[in-house]
Short mmCIF file of all heavy atoms in Angstrom, two decimals:
data_model
loop_
_atom_site.label_atom_id
_atom_site.label_comp_id
_atom_site.label_asym_id
_atom_site.label_seq_id
_atom_site.Cartn_x
_atom_site.Cartn_y
_atom_site.Cartn_z
N SER A 33 37.15 45.56 -26.87
CA SER A 33 36.42 45.64 -25.60
C SER A 33 35.52 46.88 -25.57
O SER A 33 35.90 47.95 -26.06
CB SER A 33 37.38 45.67 -24.41
OG SER A 33 37.98 46.94 -24.29
N LEU A 34 34.37 46.72 -25.01
CA LEU A 34 33.41 47.81 -24.89
C LEU A 34 33.94 48.91 -23.98
O LEU A 34 33.74 50.09 -24.26
CB LEU A 34 32.08 47.28 -24.36
CG LEU A 34 30.96 48.29 -24.14
CD1 LEU A 34 30.63 49.02 -25.45
CD2 LEU A 34 29.74 47.62 -23.57
N GLU A 35 34.65 48.55 -22.93
CA GLU A 35 35.17 49.53 -21.99
C GLU A 35 36.16 50.47 -22.66
O GLU A 35 36.11 51.68 -22.48
CB GLU A 35 35.83 48.84 -20.78
CG GLU A 35 34.86 48.11 -19.87
CD GLU A 35 34.42 46.76 -20.43
OE1 GLU A 35 35.11 46.19 -21.29
OE2 GLU A 35 33.35 46.29 -20.01
N MET A 36 37.06 49.92 -23.46
CA MET A 36 38.04 50.74 -24.16
C MET A 36 37.35 51.63 -25.19
O MET A 36 37.71 52.80 -25.36
CB MET A 36 39.08 49.86 -24.85
CG MET A 36 40.12 50.67 -25.58
SD MET A 36 40.94 51.85 -24.52
CE MET A 36 42.56 51.24 -24.55
N ALA A 37 36.36 51.12 -25.86
CA ALA A 37 35.61 51.91 -26.84
C ALA A 37 34.90 53.08 -26.15
O ALA A 37 34.89 54.20 -26.68
CB ALA A 37 34.61 51.04 -27.58
N LYS A 38 34.35 52.84 -24.97
CA LYS A 38 33.66 53.91 -24.23
C LYS A 38 34.65 55.00 -23.81
O LYS A 38 34.34 56.19 -23.87
CB LYS A 38 32.95 53.35 -23.01
CG LYS A 38 31.69 52.61 -23.35
CD LYS A 38 31.00 52.11 -22.09
CE LYS A 38 29.72 51.38 -22.40
NZ LYS A 38 29.04 50.90 -21.19
N VAL A 39 35.84 54.61 -23.38
CA VAL A 39 36.85 55.58 -22.98
C VAL A 39 37.25 56.44 -24.18
O VAL A 39 37.35 57.66 -24.09
CB VAL A 39 38.09 54.87 -22.38
CG1 VAL A 39 39.25 55.82 -22.24
CG2 VAL A 39 37.74 54.25 -21.03
N MET A 40 37.48 55.81 -25.31
CA MET A 40 37.87 56.54 -26.52
C MET A 40 36.73 57.44 -27.01
O MET A 40 36.98 58.55 -27.48
CB MET A 40 38.29 55.57 -27.61
CG MET A 40 39.56 54.83 -27.28
SD MET A 40 40.98 55.91 -27.03
CE MET A 40 41.40 56.30 -28.69
N ALA A 41 35.51 56.99 -26.90
CA ALA A 41 34.36 57.80 -27.31
C ALA A 41 34.24 59.04 -26.43
O ALA A 41 33.96 60.13 -26.92
CB ALA A 41 33.08 56.98 -27.24
N THR A 42 34.48 58.90 -25.14
CA THR A 42 34.43 60.04 -24.22
C THR A 42 35.57 61.00 -24.51
O THR A 42 35.36 62.22 -24.55
CB THR A 42 34.53 59.54 -22.77
OG1 THR A 42 33.46 58.62 -22.52
CG2 THR A 42 34.42 60.69 -21.79
N THR A 43 36.75 60.48 -24.77
CA THR A 43 37.92 61.30 -25.05
C THR A 43 37.77 62.09 -26.33
O THR A 43 38.07 63.28 -26.37
CB THR A 43 39.18 60.42 -25.14
OG1 THR A 43 39.33 59.70 -23.93
CG2 THR A 43 40.41 61.25 -25.39
N HIS A 44 37.27 61.45 -27.38
CA HIS A 44 37.21 62.09 -28.69
C HIS A 44 35.84 62.67 -29.02
O HIS A 44 35.69 63.32 -30.06
CB HIS A 44 37.61 61.08 -29.78
CG HIS A 44 39.05 60.71 -29.70
ND1 HIS A 44 40.06 61.53 -30.13
CD2 HIS A 44 39.66 59.60 -29.23
CE1 HIS A 44 41.23 60.94 -29.94
NE2 HIS A 44 41.00 59.76 -29.38
N GLY A 45 34.83 62.41 -28.20
CA GLY A 45 33.51 62.98 -28.42
C GLY A 45 32.70 62.28 -29.48
O GLY A 45 32.19 62.90 -30.41
N GLY A 46 32.59 60.98 -29.38
CA GLY A 46 31.80 60.20 -30.34
C GLY A 46 30.89 59.23 -29.62
O GLY A 46 30.74 59.29 -28.41
N GLU A 47 30.27 58.36 -30.39
CA GLU A 47 29.38 57.35 -29.84
C GLU A 47 29.88 55.96 -30.22
O GLU A 47 30.39 55.76 -31.31
CB GLU A 47 27.96 57.53 -30.41
CG GLU A 47 27.33 58.85 -30.04
CD GLU A 47 25.95 59.01 -30.67
OE1 GLU A 47 25.43 58.03 -31.26
OE2 GLU A 47 25.41 60.10 -30.60
N VAL A 48 29.70 55.01 -29.31
CA VAL A 48 30.12 53.63 -29.55
C VAL A 48 29.04 52.91 -30.35
O VAL A 48 27.85 53.06 -30.07
CB VAL A 48 30.35 52.89 -28.21
CG1 VAL A 48 30.71 51.44 -28.45
CG2 VAL A 48 31.41 53.58 -27.40
N ARG A 49 29.48 52.16 -31.35
CA ARG A 49 28.55 51.35 -32.14
C ARG A 49 29.14 49.95 -32.31
O ARG A 49 30.29 49.81 -32.73
CB ARG A 49 28.33 51.97 -33.51
CG ARG A 49 27.27 51.25 -34.30
CD ARG A 49 27.06 51.88 -35.63
NE ARG A 49 27.44 50.86 -36.61
CZ ARG A 49 27.68 51.10 -37.87
NH1 ARG A 49 27.67 52.31 -38.32
NH2 ARG A 49 27.99 50.12 -38.67
N PRO A 50 28.35 48.91 -32.00
CA PRO A 50 28.87 47.56 -32.21
C PRO A 50 28.84 47.20 -33.69
O PRO A 50 27.94 47.60 -34.42
CB PRO A 50 27.90 46.68 -31.40
CG PRO A 50 26.66 47.48 -31.32
CD PRO A 50 27.05 48.92 -31.35
#
Side-chain angles (χ1 to χ4, degrees):
S33 76
L34 179 59
E35 292 78 21
M36 180 56 115
K38 285 182 179 180
V39 168
M40 294 299 283
T42 303
T43 302
H44 292 284
E47 297 177 8
V48 177
R49 186 179 117 196

